[in-house]
Amino acid sequence: MRRVIRFRDLGREDVGLVGGKNASLGELITALGPAGIRVPDGFATTADAYRELLDTGGLRERIAEHVGRLHEGAPLPGVGAAIRSAVLATPLPAALERDVLEAYGHLARGAGRTDPDVAVRSSATAEDLPEASFAGQQETFLNVRGPAALLDACRRCFASLFTDRAIDYRERMGFDHLSLALSVGVQLMVRSDLAGAGVVFTLDTETGFPGVVVVSAAWGLGETVVSGQVDPDEYTVFKPVLKDHRLDPVVQVQLGAKRRKAVYGEDGSTTTVDTDADERARPVLGQGDIRTLAEWAVAVEEHYGCPMDLEWAKDGITGGLFLVQARPETVQSRRHGEVLRRFQLTGTGERLVDGIAVGEAIGAGPVCALAEPVGLERFPQGAVLVTGITDPDWEPLMKRASAIVTDHGGRTSHAAIVSRELGVPALVGTGTATEVLTDGQEVTVSCAEGAEGHVYRGPVAYEATETDLGSLPTTRTKVMLNLADPGAAFRWWRLPADGVGLARTEFVVAHQVRVHPMALLHPERLSAGDRRLVEELTYGYPDRADYFVDRFAHGVARIAASRWPDPVVVRTSDFKTNEYARLVGGAPFEPVEANPMIGWRGASRYYDPGYREGFALECRALRRARDELGLTNVVVMIPFCRTPEEADRVLAVMADNGLTRGANGLRVYVMAEIPSNVLLADRFAERFDGFSIGSNDLTQLTLGIDRDSGLLAHVFDERNPAVTKSIESLIAAAHAAGRRVGLCGQRPSNDPDFTRFLVRAGIDSISVTPDSFPAVKCAVAEAEREG
């Protein structure tokens, strides 16, 4: 009988012998170690060793007896406690003790240390299989030192196969408790208590988008990230440019609060302590480490042939990175990609709490606020679970919840992982949910509005729809998307769109930058209050211009990554002066206009001394997205360009800031929303590579109607012959000059007849909101069939 096997002698085919975790560690060492992936050395006990323990002193029969009591209605806590007590009271077989201590001695000699500190982890033999993820069901013990402590940790690992949460999970999944076995993995500790640790997924965990690697990181030992005790940093890495070391593949950096970290205690145990202000403000990982982890993750994914969920740790003494666990991702990778299920709020309500949205669904019910797990009889089916953080002990309650809301945790916390598996919407990292939400209060939890989710007071109406994407027709006319929120861009990757016809940067500026760009460059013109707010927002940026460039570039890059390599048309900022003034520090830089809709907006701002420096920051950010982050599918579009001469001035400013039309394949489009764009289409075509019709503004300026006027709403009509003739004229002139024409207005989403008109006129593309994409795609196909 083989009771103990070194990791280096294991492979992924040994799941039945040592469980998923330990088999994967062996696979990483043997198959990927030569490629530079580092895994701490260790060994594992076998399933045969566990079964030998069960055959000691009648342990198997006692466990079977207690499981029988459970099936007869005995309470789970009593049954679980009895089984664990029986396992702990049964001595380890002498041969197993001998083999474990002998392997520990070999490990110590290899590490050059006496009694090295090790991590002792449980690995069930059915764990991490695609059909049954046992993540977090059994125990892990860190910083275990010396033979006696190691043997005790092994006993506790064996007993943890029968924690209440593990028993409950197997009951739900239909596993026979005695048909499984448990392997104990013993692995050299990485001193991440002096550095940091976290997890890596080889897809976006919320949407299943496969084009990115998502790295989460916190200070100290990695248990705080997995357990949800901290809000970690999150780095999103774009896979297609990862191998080109001339490019920066990190398309998003989101710094977490990181208020706590797990470290070694004085007595050799682990403890959790507060982080300091510098740690909370500083990223855990630098660019080099992020790239290394992403490259390792992609290599592991390619080797396994499926999306992966990895854990990593950084040694604070040597600075070395290590992978400490690897398992297949078992939630998003199992979703059927042909069906798009969409939730949408149809009512409104008062927002009570905001947090990180996990999943894309909506749930509602009475709040059940708990500080610790309770019996199932005290948690109503369909209640909204509200608590500080969760761990595996909460899972019996979580499966009964209509939604989950926690104060702490990030996208890779326990609450997030389990809620995805259960298909339950969750808001994590809210900070204040347990203070704001009261027991019994009726609420609606929405994760269907992008990266940020919300809790609303009372029941708010919503609907759920399903679309069979495989049934959508193909069309000659390109159907593209209108997007604004980078946090929601990945949600729509399964839509068979032809790219993004309009990416609105106003959302990025208003929600991710928040500060008027001129206020970053000229803080001396700000009030004392605005200066303090700018200092808070830009903390960590010695050059505040870099803050704008980073936020803007990452927002654009995330949208562009979601549709790579299809074109993504990014419109430069098109706020009106009253909207710019509402940004932090904006008022001193904006005039008060009687009619901002036809005032100082779009192209006229970009070369004007009053905003030219701000536009230069936009250019720097767009250049970074294209030339440094590698998103060369970004097409730049200039809005509200009144004359060809104005176009020349804007293109000159762009070139001065490194955005030269034609360089590195850069295409520059112009919005066609002013009658002059139509009347002088041939001259605009000499300066731009394409047109995008903004039907709202074109209708407004053609008919002389304020599009926001309720009194004139009955006259405002994109189908007015003056407007439709302008559109036909523009398309003909643009095509004569070899230029493409698209339309990015709302009308095709609501009016199939207008869509038919556009197709008959020869439009090259129609860009619509994602929720209306299926209907418009079908309408375009029908119009093409009609000829």
Side-chain angles (χ1 to χ4, degrees):
M1 179 188 297
R2 299 182 71 186
R3 298 177 178 87
V4 172
I5 305 179
R6 297 178 304 175
F7 286 160
R8 69 189 67 173
D9 296 325
L10 292 169
R12 56 177 162 172
E13 70 279 0
D14 294 314
V15 171
L17 186 62
V18 295
K21 289 179 186 175
N22 293 331
S24 285
L25 288 170
E27 183 76 13
L28 292 179
I29 290 173
T30 57
L32 295 170
I37 292 178
R38 289 177 291 189
V39 178
D41 199 8
F43 61 89
T45 66
T46 66
D48 290 336
Y50 171 77
R51 295 187 182 103
E52 185 179 34
L53 172 65
L54 290 188
D55 292 334
T56 302
L59 179 58
R60 185 187 301 275
E61 290 73 20
R62 279 180 285 162
I63 292 174
E65 179 184 345
H66 290 305
V67 170
R69 289 196 304 111
L70 178 68
H71 293 160
E72 293 170 0
L76 174 59
V79 170
I83 296 177
R84 293 192 296 275
S85 295
V87 175
L88 291 171
T90 303
L92 295 179
L96 177 58
E97 285 196 2
R98 179 198 66 219
D99 290 353
V100 167
L101 295 182
E102 181 178 328
Y104 183 57
H106 282 302
L107 194 61
R109 288 189 289 276
R113 305 200 301 268
T114 302
D115 293 345
D117 49 335
V118 293
V120 182
R121 293 186 170 93
S122 310
S123 182
T125 56
E127 190 170 21
D128 301 327
L129 295 179
E131 65 271 18
S133 172
F134 283 12
Q137 296 301 321
Q138 281 76 50
E139 298 290 355
T140 292
F141 303 97
L142 302 178
N143 195 26
V144 176
R145 298 179 184 176
L150 174 58
L151 293 176
D152 179 62
C154 288
R155 278 190 291 270
R156 288 189 285 164
C157 278
F158 287 132
S160 76
L161 189 59
F162 295 96
T163 59
D164 295 351
R165 60 182 180 262
I167 295 172
D168 175 78
Y169 188 88
R170 291 194 296 272
E171 286 286 310
R172 286 191 283 122
M173 299 296 292
F175 282 93
D176 178 0
H177 299 283
L178 287 170
S179 70
L180 305 180
L182 189 131
S183 167
V184 177
V186 179
Q187 187 176 36
L188 287 171
M189 281 288 293
V190 177
R191 291 302 304 271
S192 61
D193 61 305
L194 302 176
V199 299
V200 185
F201 284 90
T202 62
L203 46 61
D204 180 62
T205 54
E206 300 313 310
T207 65
F209 176 59
V212 293
V213 173
V214 180
V215 180
S216 294
W219 300 112
L221 302 171
E223 300 306 304
T224 58
V225 178
V226 176
S227 66
Q229 295 179 58
V230 298
D231 305 324
D233 293 346
E234 187 174 286
Y235 315 98
T236 303
V237 183
F238 187 45
K239 288 179 184 176
V241 302
L242 186 56
K243 293 181 180 179
D244 189 340
H245 281 250
R246 297 169 301 174
L247 300 173
D248 174 7
V250 182
V251 297
Q252 184 179 44
V253 176
Q254 186 171 325
L255 297 186
K258 308 185 295 288
R259 297 187 183 281
R260 305 278 285 169
K261 64 177 179 178
V263 298
Y264 286 6
E266 294 182 3
D267 60 354
S269 63
T270 60
T271 186
T272 303
V273 299
D274 291 337
T275 54
D276 60 37
D278 177 66
E279 290 172 318
R280 295 174 188 178
R282 184 161 48 95
V284 175
L285 293 175
Q287 293 291 103
D289 286 343
I290 297 169
R291 180 186 284 274
T292 295
L293 289 172
E295 288 175 342
W296 286 1
V298 169
V300 174
E301 179 181 53
E302 290 175 349
H303 178 73
Y304 274 78
C306 64
M308 296 296 292
D309 168 5
L310 312 171
E311 294 184 25
W312 63 271
K314 182 173 183 177
D315 193 297
I317 298 174
T318 67
L321 288 170
F322 296 87
L323 294 184
V324 296
Q325 282 197 41
R327 52 184 167 261
E329 194 276 340
T330 57
V331 178
Q332 290 293 348
S333 56
R334 293 167 62 188
R335 290 183 59 180
H336 298 294
E338 291 301 305
V339 176
L340 178 69
R341 191 159 191 248
R342 186 177 63 87
F343 287 78
Q344 184 176 22
L345 288 173
T346 56
T348 58
E350 177 190 355
R351 267 168 48 179
L352 302 176
V353 173
D354 304 320
I356 298 170
V358 178
E360 300 170 21
I362 297 173
V367 168
C368 187
L370 298 172
E372 59 187 22
V374 297
L376 296 180
E377 70 281 357
R378 294 177 56 193
F379 188 87
Q381 183 76 36
V384 174
L385 173 60
V386 176
T387 189
I389 61 172
T390 66
D391 60 32
D393 288 329
W394 289 87
E395 290 176 25
L397 302 181
M398 295 170 75
K399 71 175 184 178
R400 296 170 64 90
S402 63
I404 299 161
V405 183
T406 68
D407 285 344
H408 307 293
R411 297 185 192 281
T412 55
S413 64
H414 173 269
I417 291 170
V418 173
S419 67
R420 287 188 201 102
E421 181 177 317
L422 296 174
V424 175
L427 251 63
V428 299
T430 64
T432 60
T434 56
E435 300 172 13
V436 175
L437 305 179
T438 58
D439 209 46
Q441 179 182 19
E442 291 286 338
V443 297
T444 300
V445 180
S446 172
C447 294
E449 301 169 76
E452 186 177 62
H454 313 288
V455 177
Y456 294 92
R457 185 187 302 278
V460 178
Y462 66 92
E463 63 181 12
T465 58
E466 287 190 354
T467 302
D468 181 1
L469 299 180
S471 68
L472 293 180
T474 57
T475 59
R476 297 187 305 274
T477 307
K478 294 185 181 298
V479 182
M480 307 173 80
L481 301 178
N482 293 337
L483 296 177
D485 180 3
F490 291 170
R491 293 176 59 194
W492 309 108
W493 72 273
R494 288 186 172 89
L495 287 177
D498 297 301
V500 173
L502 174 63
R504 298 183 180 91
T505 58
E506 295 81 38
F507 186 97
V508 176
V509 175
H511 295 273
Q512 297 185 231
V513 178
R514 296 180 56 192
V515 183
H516 193 292
M518 296 297 287
L520 295 168
L521 300 170
H522 295 284
E524 72 280 358
R525 295 178 60 181
L526 304 183
S527 67
D530 277 350
R531 275 200 302 272
R532 283 193 298 271
L533 186 51
V534 169
E535 288 171 0
E536 292 173 8
L537 290 170
T538 60
Y539 183 81
Y541 284 89
D543 183 345
R544 288 175 180 152
D546 290 339
Y547 165 82
F548 181 96
V549 172
D550 269 2
R551 295 296 181 94
F552 195 101
H554 283 157
V556 167
R558 188 175 172 93
I559 294 174
S562 73
R563 304 311 311 185
W564 175 270
D566 292 326
V568 172
V569 181
V570 178
R571 186 178 69 189
T572 48
S573 65
D574 191 27
F575 288 120
K576 288 70 175 175
T577 49
N578 57 323
E579 295 167 335
Y580 271 116
R582 288 198 291 267
L583 297 173
V584 174
F589 304 95
E590 299 297 331
V592 177
E593 296 184 300
N595 193 343
M597 190 72 76
I598 56 172
W600 192 40
R601 61 176 286 201
S604 61
R605 297 179 63 95
Y606 302 156
Y607 57 85
D608 189 284
Y611 189 73
R612 181 172 178 148
E613 292 174 284
F615 182 62
L617 296 185
E618 293 188 40
C619 292
R620 281 178 53 190
L622 290 166
R623 181 183 178 186
R624 182 175 176 199
R626 285 181 46 85
D627 298 348
E628 297 177 28
L629 302 182
L631 279 306
T632 51
N633 60 330
V634 167
V635 178
V636 177
M637 183 159 68
I638 304 301
F640 226 78
C641 187
R642 293 173 169 94
T643 67
E645 293 74 23
E646 193 167 59
D648 291 335
R649 300 182 72 174
V650 171
L651 290 169
V653 174
M654 291 174 61
D656 288 344
N657 288 282
L659 277 182
T660 301
R661 179 183 165 211
N664 197 19
L666 174 63
R667 289 179 290 165
V668 183
Y669 285 9
V670 64
M671 290 288 292
E673 51 196 339
I674 305 170
S676 62
N677 301 140
V678 177
L679 296 171
L680 301 176
D682 56 336
R683 295 182 60 188
F684 280 101
E686 294 172 357
R687 293 158 171 84
F688 294 104
D689 299 290
F691 296 84
S692 181
I693 299 169
S695 57
N696 285 339
D697 271 329
L698 184 60
T699 303
Q700 172 178 244
L701 297 174
T702 299
L703 300 180
I705 296 174
D706 180 354
R707 71 187 199 190
D708 293 332
S709 171
L711 293 174
L712 297 173
H714 65 287
V715 186
F716 188 95
D717 186 358
E718 293 99 322
R719 295 175 302 176
N720 183 286
V723 180
T724 57
K725 285 184 179 181
S726 293
I727 292 174
E728 290 172 328
S729 173
L730 175 69
I731 293 172
H735 285 177
R739 299 291 184 254
R740 299 183 65 84
V741 182
L743 184 138
C744 56
Q746 181 64 25
R747 190 62 184 249
S749 300
N750 307 323
D751 185 350
D753 286 339
F754 192 69
T755 300
R756 281 191 283 272
F757 155 71
L758 293 172
V759 172
R760 288 196 302 269
I763 199 88
D764 295 295
S765 64
I766 298 173
S767 186
V768 297
T769 55
D771 58 336
S772 61
F773 176 87
V776 173
K777 186 74 168 175
C778 292
V780 168
E782 182 179 349
E784 289 180 346
R785 286 194 299 270
E786 294 172 354

